[in-house]
């Protein structure tokens, strides 16, 4: 889950359901990290009362920029 609030109740999120994990070639949590700015493409739906985009394939998520762990500065791709 790519969430924007903690706890995640009441916030917009992008979710990769376990059934779709094989589409990513490795565990999604190894592909995306805290500090990355991402663009998510998909239909906004409702899940347990919150807005969500269900991500089924890797091409729905684009990493736009990352925060350097060395400098703490934003790096734009």
């Amino acid at each position: 889950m790519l969430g924007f609030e903690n706890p995640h109740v009441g916030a917009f999120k992008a979710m990769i359901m376990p059934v779709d994990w094989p589409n990513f070639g490795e565990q999604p949590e190894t592909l995306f990290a805290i500090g990355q700015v991402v663009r998510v493409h998909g239909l906004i739906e409702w899940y347990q009362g919150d807005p969500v985009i269900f991500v089924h394939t890797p091409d729905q998520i684009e990493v736009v920029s990352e925060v350097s762990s060395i400098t703490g500065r934003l790096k734009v791709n």
Side-chain angles (χ1 to χ4, degrees), residues 3-65:
F4 301 94
E5 294 286 333
N6 191 8
H8 299 291
V9 176
F12 176 77
K13 55 187 93 30
M15 291 185 65
I16 305 168
M17 301 302 279
V19 68
D20 293 315
W21 292 357
N23 299 337
F24 288 81
E26 57 185 281
Q27 294 289 329
E29 65 268 18
T30 65
L31 299 172
F32 308 104
I34 293 173
Q36 289 179 317
V37 176
V38 297
R39 183 175 294 129
V40 179
H41 304 273
L43 177 67
I44 298 173
E45 303 179 53
W46 290 104
Y47 178 75
Q48 297 181 346
D50 296 325
V52 64
I53 293 178
F54 289 103
V55 179
H56 303 286
T57 59
D59 63 338
Q60 287 181 260
I61 302 176
E62 173 189 355
V63 177
V64 177
S65 62

